[in-house]
């Protein structure tokens, strides 16, 4: 009973945004970065030479190229996030299926335990009947032997 998932994707400046993430807007983030770049106010992380967000040649490329680079990096990160979300959903579905199978197995086990109990009680009943029949048979054989002695 896996649930159908609605994974509609919106495009915001060529960036895929999951509809579920309404509190986090990539378009707003890009707009903020673009505004800062236009003002020449780069974030601290872009000034560090050790950071891998903008390559070391980042200081030599223009604002538009930096924006394109950041958008591309953002798209890659969004695709990775989408893949992780998809994997999580698959794992959730798999867990639900396994829970359902476990429930069915527990129910089947309970049913089989009841059947075993009934069969054990029937076996005991038939064992008792067989013992009684053997005693009766022995008694009848003794009676037959006694009657044969009387006839001879």
């Amino acid at each position: 009973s896996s649930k159908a998932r609605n994974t509609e994707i919106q495009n915001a400046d060529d960036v895929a945004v999951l509809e579920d993430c309404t509190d986090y807007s990539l378009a707003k983030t890009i707009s903020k970065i673009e505004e800062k770049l236009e003002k020449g106010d780069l974030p601290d992380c872009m000034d560090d030479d050790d950071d891998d967000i903008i390559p070391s040649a980042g200081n030599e490329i223009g604002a538009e190229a930096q924006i394109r680079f950041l958008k591309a990096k953002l798209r890659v990160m969004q695709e990775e996030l989408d893949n992780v979300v998809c994997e999580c959903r698959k794992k959730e579905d798999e867990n639900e299926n396994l829970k359902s199978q476990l429930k069915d197995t527990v129910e089947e086990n309970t049913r089989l335990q009841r059947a075993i109990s009934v069969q054990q009680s029937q076996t005991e009943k038939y064992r008792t009947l067989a013992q009684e029949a053997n005693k009766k048979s022995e008694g009848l054989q003794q009676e037959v032997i006694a009657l044969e002695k009387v006839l001879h």
Side-chain angles (χ1 to χ4, degrees), residues 10 17-26 28:
Q10 300 172 336
V17 180
L18 281 178
E19 194 173 82
D20 298 351
C21 304
T22 53
D23 59 324
Y24 178 74
S25 171
L26 292 175
K28 289 180 185 177

Side-chain angles (χ1 to χ4, degrees), residues 9 14-18 26 71-86:
I9 296 177
D14 296 330
V15 177
V17 180
L18 281 178
L26 292 175
K71 282 183 179 181
K73 186 145 182 102
L74 191 57
R75 275 192 298 275
V76 169
M77 291 173 72
Q78 184 63 43
E79 288 174 9
E80 290 173 359
L81 177 63
D82 291 346
N83 289 337
V84 169
V85 167
C86 183

